[in-house]
Amino acid sequence: MKLASLKHRRDGKLILVSRDLTQAVDASDIALTLQDALDEWDTLSPLLQARYDALNDNNVAERFPFNPADCESPLPRAFQWADGSAYVNHVELVRKARGADMPESFWTDPLMYQGVSDKFIGPRDNIELCDEAWGCDFEAEVAVITDDVAMATPSEKAGSHIKLLMLVNDVSLRNLIPSELAKGFGFFQSKPASSFSPVAVTPDELGESWQENKVHLPLEVFLNGEQFGAPNAGVDMTFDFAELVAHAAKSRHLGAGTIIGSGTVSNLDRSKGSCCIAERRMLEILDLGSPKTPFLLYGDKVSIEMHDKEGRSIFGKIDQEVVPYR
């Protein structure tokens, strides 16, 4: 299935979106919001699936054209948003940029931070920035949404709790990070609201590209209309999504609707480009002695998308502009 949330009050109104992302149908009589659907997933998902199948078979009279600009992130807000760093190659590069060493444990135990989740940015809404000097950066990622996960669930069982997948733009304020982390208490001001793709999809929509709890497709990022990177999300992923979910659940229960991010997608093959500016700047330092690519400025436009092997968009496009906060 493909699900989205029309802008409506705080939590949106649930719709189903056709596989080709051209048509949609109201699903709010089954579950008013995506969170409602996740709360009763075993009961409601068969009803949603039946309507989704009818939509794709052109057997729904009430269908309407799908417009991503009318949508919030699939979960406009979430009870929990935890972002991992599954691509340890990326972590190593970004820490070098801050002059920080990387402990060997980073290769065996995932990093994870808990981000702001009371209001996400819509997939076609602007990124509001108070100060360009803060070093605004995009981070293109993949994320999963879980049902209820019991504390101490092992990774061998955690994969069965993954119900949906999305794309992410994890907005970061790079120049606020060093002094904040130096306090020894983690990210806060340096990690404002993130945004997610217009559509969340069930794993079966990915077909054979969903294997070993990884998405084996390129994640395409464009900055001001030029491709910035297209690394494969299934390559060089040190920790798969089942391991990330298990890590998050080590000492706590995860409620239905918990979002777990992969961290910035990154490949060792540098010809694939980067999914964030900080990584490119670090590579420029290593190659040229100094960074050349500036962080995001007002008016810059970022888009993030993933296509299947037939060239069809899977999640729709995150398409945003950086604007001054007034």
Side-chain angles (χ1 to χ4, degrees), residues 292-307:
K292 305 300 180 184
T293 304
F295 289 119
L296 296 173
L297 302 173
Y298 299 140
D300 282 344
K301 296 180 179 180
V302 178
S303 66
I304 300 169
E305 195 170 15
M306 181 177 279
H307 293 84

Side-chain angles (χ1 to χ4, degrees), residues 210-227:
W210 176 248
Q211 294 183 34
E212 301 171 328
N213 296 300
K214 301 177 183 180
V215 180
H216 294 267
L217 290 168
L219 183 56
E220 304 156 24
V221 183
F222 286 78
L223 176 59
N224 295 325
E226 296 186 5
Q227 188 171 79

Side-chain angles (χ1 to χ4, degrees), residues 4-25:
S5 294
L6 291 180
K7 293 180 177 181
H8 179 73
R9 298 182 177 176
R10 285 181 182 252
D11 295 302
K13 184 168 73 170
L14 185 64
I15 60 173
L16 290 157
V17 182
S18 61
R19 186 165 285 115
D20 63 5
L21 303 180
T22 63
Q23 300 290 310
V25 63

Side-chain angles (χ1 to χ4, degrees), residues 7 10 71-78 80-84 113-129 136-144 166-174 177 187-198 259-264 275 296 302 304 318-321:
K7 293 180 177 181
R10 285 181 182 252
C71 294
E72 298 277 11
S73 287
L75 281 172
R77 57 178 174 171
Q80 186 158 224
W81 153 233
D83 200 14
Y113 82 90
Q114 193 158 7
V116 58
S117 62
D118 55 339
K119 180 72 171 76
F120 297 125
I121 307 170
R124 298 295 174 91
D125 293 342
N126 294 329
I127 298 169
E128 297 179 319
L129 179 63
C136 186
D137 197 357
F138 55 84
E139 294 191 62
E141 311 179 9
V142 181
V144 298
M166 307 182 288
L167 303 183
V168 190
N169 181 9
D170 176 40
V171 180
S172 296
L173 303 175
R174 297 295 187 185
I177 290 176
F187 298 119
F188 193 81
Q189 292 174 338
S190 53
K191 290 289 188 175
S194 299
S195 54
F196 297 85
S197 52
I259 305 172
I260 306 288
S262 66
T264 305
C275 278
L296 296 173
V302 178
I304 300 169
I318 298 173
D319 201 3
Q320 301 173 306
E321 182 176 346

Side-chain angles (χ1 to χ4, degrees), residues 10 23 41 46 50 70 92 123 140 175 243 250 272 280 310:
R10 285 181 182 252
Q23 300 290 310
W41 188 257
D70 294 334
E92 188 172 40
N175 293 338
E243 292 174 303
K250 178 177 180 178
K272 304 301 182 182
R280 176 177 284 189
E310 286 71 44

Side-chain angles (χ1 to χ4, degrees), residues 200-269:
V201 310
T202 49
D204 60 302
E205 289 289 333
L206 295 166
E208 64 180 15
S209 296
W210 176 248
Q211 294 183 34
E212 301 171 328
N213 296 300
K214 301 177 183 180
V215 180
H216 294 267
L217 290 168
L219 183 56
E220 304 156 24
V221 183
F222 286 78
L223 176 59
N224 295 325
E226 296 186 5
Q227 188 171 79
F228 198 87
N232 192 302
V235 175
D236 302 318
M237 189 181 190
T238 308
F239 306 103
D240 65 40
F241 278 111
E243 292 174 303
L244 293 176
V245 171
H247 180 81
K250 178 177 180 178
S251 61
R252 68 179 74 179
H253 301 293
L254 306 180
T258 292
I259 305 172
I260 306 288
S262 66
T264 305
V265 176
S266 179
N267 288 172
L268 286 167
D269 181 355

